[in-house]
Short mmCIF file of all heavy atoms in Angstrom, two decimals:
data_model
loop_
_atom_site.label_atom_id
_atom_site.label_comp_id
_atom_site.label_asym_id
_atom_site.label_seq_id
_atom_site.Cartn_x
_atom_site.Cartn_y
_atom_site.Cartn_z
N LEU W 1238 10.82 -6.97 3.56
CA LEU W 1238 10.16 -6.64 4.82
C LEU W 1238 11.02 -5.65 5.60
O LEU W 1238 12.22 -5.81 5.70
CB LEU W 1238 9.96 -7.90 5.68
CG LEU W 1238 8.92 -8.92 5.19
CD1 LEU W 1238 8.89 -10.12 6.13
CD2 LEU W 1238 7.54 -8.28 5.09
N ALA W 1239 10.36 -4.63 6.12
CA ALA W 1239 11.03 -3.65 6.97
C ALA W 1239 10.27 -3.53 8.26
O ALA W 1239 9.03 -3.47 8.27
CB ALA W 1239 11.10 -2.29 6.27
N ASN W 1240 10.98 -3.51 9.39
CA ASN W 1240 10.33 -3.32 10.67
C ASN W 1240 10.16 -1.82 10.92
O ASN W 1240 11.13 -1.08 11.04
CB ASN W 1240 11.15 -3.95 11.80
CG ASN W 1240 10.39 -3.95 13.10
OD1 ASN W 1240 10.29 -2.93 13.79
ND2 ASN W 1240 9.84 -5.11 13.46
N LEU W 1241 8.88 -1.39 10.93
CA LEU W 1241 8.57 0.01 11.02
C LEU W 1241 7.90 0.32 12.36
O LEU W 1241 6.74 0.73 12.46
CB LEU W 1241 7.69 0.43 9.85
CG LEU W 1241 8.28 0.23 8.46
CD1 LEU W 1241 7.36 0.71 7.40
CD2 LEU W 1241 9.64 0.91 8.34
N GLY W 1242 8.66 0.09 13.41
CA GLY W 1242 8.22 0.46 14.75
C GLY W 1242 6.98 -0.24 15.21
O GLY W 1242 6.86 -1.48 15.13
N SER W 1243 5.98 0.51 15.66
CA SER W 1243 4.78 -0.06 16.21
C SER W 1243 3.97 -0.84 15.18
O SER W 1243 3.12 -1.67 15.53
CB SER W 1243 3.89 1.03 16.83
OG SER W 1243 3.48 1.95 15.84
N LEU W 1244 4.21 -0.58 13.89
CA LEU W 1244 3.47 -1.31 12.84
C LEU W 1244 4.07 -2.67 12.53
O LEU W 1244 3.48 -3.47 11.80
CB LEU W 1244 3.44 -0.45 11.57
CG LEU W 1244 2.62 0.83 11.66
CD1 LEU W 1244 2.77 1.67 10.39
CD2 LEU W 1244 1.13 0.50 11.88
N GLY W 1245 5.26 -2.94 13.08
CA GLY W 1245 5.88 -4.24 12.87
C GLY W 1245 6.45 -4.41 11.48
O GLY W 1245 6.85 -3.41 10.83
N ASP W 1246 6.47 -5.64 10.99
CA ASP W 1246 7.01 -5.92 9.66
C ASP W 1246 6.02 -5.49 8.57
O ASP W 1246 4.86 -5.91 8.57
CB ASP W 1246 7.31 -7.41 9.51
CG ASP W 1246 8.53 -7.83 10.30
OD1 ASP W 1246 9.35 -6.95 10.64
OD2 ASP W 1246 8.68 -9.04 10.56
N VAL W 1247 6.52 -4.68 7.62
CA VAL W 1247 5.70 -4.11 6.59
C VAL W 1247 6.40 -4.35 5.24
O VAL W 1247 7.63 -4.32 5.15
CB VAL W 1247 5.51 -2.59 6.83
CG1 VAL W 1247 4.77 -1.94 5.65
CG2 VAL W 1247 4.74 -2.37 8.10
N LEU W 1248 5.61 -4.57 4.20
CA LEU W 1248 6.16 -4.70 2.84
C LEU W 1248 6.65 -3.35 2.33
O LEU W 1248 5.87 -2.37 2.38
CB LEU W 1248 5.12 -5.29 1.88
CG LEU W 1248 5.03 -6.82 1.76
CD1 LEU W 1248 4.56 -7.44 3.07
CD2 LEU W 1248 4.07 -7.20 0.63
N VAL W 1249 7.86 -3.33 1.80
CA VAL W 1249 8.41 -2.12 1.19
C VAL W 1249 9.05 -2.54 -0.16
O VAL W 1249 9.35 -3.70 -0.37
CB VAL W 1249 9.47 -1.44 2.07
CG1 VAL W 1249 8.85 -0.99 3.40
CG2 VAL W 1249 10.67 -2.33 2.35
N ASP W 1250 9.24 -1.54 -1.04
CA ASP W 1250 9.92 -1.86 -2.27
C ASP W 1250 11.45 -1.83 -2.09
O ASP W 1250 11.95 -1.68 -0.96
CB ASP W 1250 9.47 -0.91 -3.41
CG ASP W 1250 10.04 0.52 -3.27
OD1 ASP W 1250 10.75 0.79 -2.31
OD2 ASP W 1250 9.79 1.33 -4.19
N GLY W 1251 12.19 -1.99 -3.16
CA GLY W 1251 13.63 -2.08 -3.09
C GLY W 1251 14.30 -0.81 -2.55
O GLY W 1251 15.46 -0.87 -2.09
N GLU W 1252 13.61 0.31 -2.58
CA GLU W 1252 14.14 1.55 -2.07
C GLU W 1252 13.60 1.90 -0.68
O GLU W 1252 13.81 2.99 -0.17
CB GLU W 1252 13.83 2.70 -3.06
CG GLU W 1252 14.52 2.50 -4.41
CD GLU W 1252 14.21 3.63 -5.39
OE1 GLU W 1252 13.32 4.44 -5.08
OE2 GLU W 1252 14.86 3.69 -6.44
N GLY W 1253 12.86 0.95 -0.11
CA GLY W 1253 12.35 1.14 1.22
C GLY W 1253 11.03 1.89 1.31
O GLY W 1253 10.58 2.22 2.42
N ARG W 1254 10.37 2.11 0.19
CA ARG W 1254 9.09 2.83 0.21
C ARG W 1254 7.94 1.86 0.60
O ARG W 1254 7.83 0.77 0.04
CB ARG W 1254 8.80 3.48 -1.17
CG ARG W 1254 9.72 4.66 -1.48
CD ARG W 1254 9.25 5.35 -2.74
NE ARG W 1254 7.91 5.89 -2.58
CZ ARG W 1254 7.15 6.33 -3.60
NH1 ARG W 1254 7.61 6.21 -4.83
NH2 ARG W 1254 5.93 6.83 -3.38
N THR W 1255 7.11 2.33 1.49
CA THR W 1255 6.04 1.50 2.04
C THR W 1255 4.97 1.18 1.02
O THR W 1255 4.61 2.03 0.19
CB THR W 1255 5.39 2.25 3.25
OG1 THR W 1255 6.42 2.57 4.22
CG2 THR W 1255 4.32 1.39 3.90
N LEU W 1256 4.45 -0.06 1.08
CA LEU W 1256 3.36 -0.51 0.24
C LEU W 1256 2.09 -0.66 1.06
O LEU W 1256 2.14 -0.96 2.27
CB LEU W 1256 3.71 -1.82 -0.44
CG LEU W 1256 4.98 -1.78 -1.34
CD1 LEU W 1256 5.34 -3.16 -1.84
CD2 LEU W 1256 4.76 -0.81 -2.51
N TYR W 1257 0.93 -0.51 0.38
CA TYR W 1257 -0.34 -0.44 1.08
C TYR W 1257 -1.38 -1.34 0.46
O TYR W 1257 -1.35 -1.69 -0.72
CB TYR W 1257 -0.87 1.01 1.06
CG TYR W 1257 -0.06 1.99 1.85
CD1 TYR W 1257 1.04 2.61 1.27
CD2 TYR W 1257 -0.38 2.27 3.18
CE1 TYR W 1257 1.81 3.53 1.99
CE2 TYR W 1257 0.38 3.18 3.91
CZ TYR W 1257 1.47 3.79 3.34
OH TYR W 1257 2.23 4.67 4.07
N PHE W 1258 -2.42 -1.71 1.35
CA PHE W 1258 -3.64 -2.37 0.91
C PHE W 1258 -4.79 -1.35 0.97
O PHE W 1258 -4.79 -0.43 1.78
CB PHE W 1258 -4.03 -3.50 1.88
CG PHE W 1258 -3.08 -4.70 1.89
CD1 PHE W 1258 -2.97 -5.47 3.06
CD2 PHE W 1258 -2.37 -5.08 0.79
CE1 PHE W 1258 -2.16 -6.56 3.11
CE2 PHE W 1258 -1.52 -6.17 0.81
CZ PHE W 1258 -1.42 -6.92 1.98
N PHE W 1259 -5.81 -1.59 0.14
CA PHE W 1259 -7.04 -0.75 0.11
C PHE W 1259 -8.20 -1.65 0.47
O PHE W 1259 -8.47 -2.66 -0.16
CB PHE W 1259 -7.18 -0.21 -1.31
CG PHE W 1259 -8.29 0.79 -1.51
CD1 PHE W 1259 -8.73 1.61 -0.48
CD2 PHE W 1259 -8.91 0.88 -2.77
CE1 PHE W 1259 -9.77 2.51 -0.68
CE2 PHE W 1259 -9.93 1.79 -2.99
CZ PHE W 1259 -10.36 2.61 -1.95
N SER W 1260 -8.95 -1.27 1.51
CA SER W 1260 -10.05 -2.10 2.02
C SER W 1260 -11.13 -2.34 0.95
O SER W 1260 -11.80 -3.35 1.02
CB SER W 1260 -10.68 -1.46 3.25
OG SER W 1260 -9.80 -1.52 4.35
N ASN W 1261 -11.29 -1.42 0.02
CA ASN W 1261 -12.32 -1.58 -1.01
C ASN W 1261 -11.92 -2.64 -2.05
O ASN W 1261 -12.71 -2.95 -2.95
CB ASN W 1261 -12.56 -0.26 -1.73
CG ASN W 1261 -13.14 0.80 -0.77
OD1 ASN W 1261 -12.57 1.06 0.30
ND2 ASN W 1261 -14.22 1.44 -1.15
N ASP W 1262 -10.71 -3.20 -1.93
CA ASP W 1262 -10.22 -4.19 -2.89
C ASP W 1262 -10.38 -5.64 -2.40
O ASP W 1262 -9.72 -6.54 -2.88
CB ASP W 1262 -8.73 -3.96 -3.17
CG ASP W 1262 -8.44 -2.71 -3.94
OD1 ASP W 1262 -9.37 -2.07 -4.45
OD2 ASP W 1262 -7.25 -2.30 -4.03
N ALA W 1263 -11.33 -5.87 -1.49
CA ALA W 1263 -11.45 -7.21 -0.90
C ALA W 1263 -11.70 -8.29 -1.94
O ALA W 1263 -11.34 -9.45 -1.78
CB ALA W 1263 -12.55 -7.24 0.15
N SER W 1264 -12.32 -7.93 -3.08
CA SER W 1264 -12.63 -8.91 -4.10
C SER W 1264 -11.38 -9.34 -4.88
O SER W 1264 -11.41 -10.32 -5.62
CB SER W 1264 -13.64 -8.32 -5.11
OG SER W 1264 -13.05 -7.27 -5.86
N GLY W 1265 -10.30 -8.58 -4.70
CA GLY W 1265 -9.06 -8.89 -5.45
C GLY W 1265 -8.85 -8.01 -6.65
O GLY W 1265 -7.77 -8.06 -7.25
N GLU W 1266 -9.88 -7.25 -7.01
CA GLU W 1266 -9.75 -6.27 -8.11
C GLU W 1266 -9.53 -4.89 -7.51
O GLU W 1266 -9.95 -4.61 -6.39
CB GLU W 1266 -11.01 -6.28 -8.98
CG GLU W 1266 -11.30 -7.61 -9.65
CD GLU W 1266 -10.18 -8.03 -10.61
OE1 GLU W 1266 -9.63 -7.15 -11.29
OE2 GLU W 1266 -9.86 -9.21 -10.65
N SER W 1267 -8.85 -4.01 -8.29
CA SER W 1267 -8.59 -2.68 -7.78
C SER W 1267 -9.82 -1.78 -7.92
O SER W 1267 -10.39 -1.64 -9.01
CB SER W 1267 -7.42 -2.04 -8.53
OG SER W 1267 -7.26 -0.69 -8.14
N ALA W 1268 -10.21 -1.16 -6.80
CA ALA W 1268 -11.29 -0.18 -6.81
C ALA W 1268 -10.76 1.25 -6.82
O ALA W 1268 -11.53 2.20 -6.64
CB ALA W 1268 -12.19 -0.41 -5.59
N CYS W 1269 -9.46 1.39 -7.02
CA CYS W 1269 -8.81 2.71 -7.03
C CYS W 1269 -8.47 3.06 -8.48
O CYS W 1269 -7.66 2.38 -9.13
CB CYS W 1269 -7.55 2.70 -6.18
SG CYS W 1269 -6.65 4.26 -6.08
N SER W 1270 -9.07 4.16 -8.99
CA SER W 1270 -8.80 4.59 -10.35
C SER W 1270 -8.95 6.10 -10.42
O SER W 1270 -9.34 6.75 -9.47
CB SER W 1270 -9.72 3.87 -11.34
OG SER W 1270 -11.09 4.18 -11.05
N GLY W 1271 -8.69 6.66 -11.59
CA GLY W 1271 -8.87 8.10 -11.78
C GLY W 1271 -8.01 8.89 -10.81
O GLY W 1271 -6.82 8.66 -10.64
N GLY W 1272 -8.62 9.85 -10.12
CA GLY W 1272 -7.89 10.68 -9.18
C GLY W 1272 -7.32 9.92 -8.00
O GLY W 1272 -6.32 10.33 -7.41
N CYS W 1273 -7.92 8.77 -7.68
CA CYS W 1273 -7.42 7.95 -6.59
C CYS W 1273 -5.97 7.55 -6.86
O CYS W 1273 -5.14 7.54 -5.94
CB CYS W 1273 -8.31 6.71 -6.42
SG CYS W 1273 -7.71 5.50 -5.22
N ILE W 1274 -5.68 7.19 -8.10
CA ILE W 1274 -4.34 6.71 -8.45
C ILE W 1274 -3.30 7.82 -8.31
O ILE W 1274 -2.10 7.54 -8.09
CB ILE W 1274 -4.32 6.11 -9.86
CG1 ILE W 1274 -5.11 4.81 -9.87
CG2 ILE W 1274 -2.92 5.84 -10.38
CD1 ILE W 1274 -4.54 3.72 -8.99
N GLU W 1275 -3.69 9.06 -8.41
CA GLU W 1275 -2.76 10.14 -8.21
C GLU W 1275 -2.22 10.16 -6.78
O GLU W 1275 -1.06 10.49 -6.54
CB GLU W 1275 -3.41 11.49 -8.55
CG GLU W 1275 -3.80 11.62 -10.02
CD GLU W 1275 -4.51 12.93 -10.32
OE1 GLU W 1275 -4.53 13.82 -9.41
OE2 GLU W 1275 -5.04 13.08 -11.42
N SER W 1276 -3.09 9.81 -5.84
CA SER W 1276 -2.67 9.76 -4.43
C SER W 1276 -2.10 8.41 -4.06
O SER W 1276 -1.28 8.32 -3.13
CB SER W 1276 -3.87 10.07 -3.52
OG SER W 1276 -4.33 11.39 -3.73
N TRP W 1277 -2.53 7.36 -4.77
CA TRP W 1277 -2.12 6.01 -4.44
C TRP W 1277 -1.60 5.30 -5.69
O TRP W 1277 -2.28 4.47 -6.30
CB TRP W 1277 -3.31 5.23 -3.85
CG TRP W 1277 -3.85 5.89 -2.62
CD1 TRP W 1277 -4.88 6.79 -2.56
CD2 TRP W 1277 -3.39 5.74 -1.28
NE1 TRP W 1277 -5.10 7.19 -1.27
CE2 TRP W 1277 -4.20 6.57 -0.45
CE3 TRP W 1277 -2.40 4.97 -0.68
CZ2 TRP W 1277 -4.01 6.67 0.91
CZ3 TRP W 1277 -2.22 5.06 0.68
CH2 TRP W 1277 -3.01 5.88 1.48
#
């Protein structure tokens, strides 16, 4: 956990890189594939 200012405590990896959720993944499966994965 890293405190990132106004966003509060956020999950980061061991090198401090921020991790994200995708709203289209509410079912628990990934809806991000193809070109999406290049950005995410």
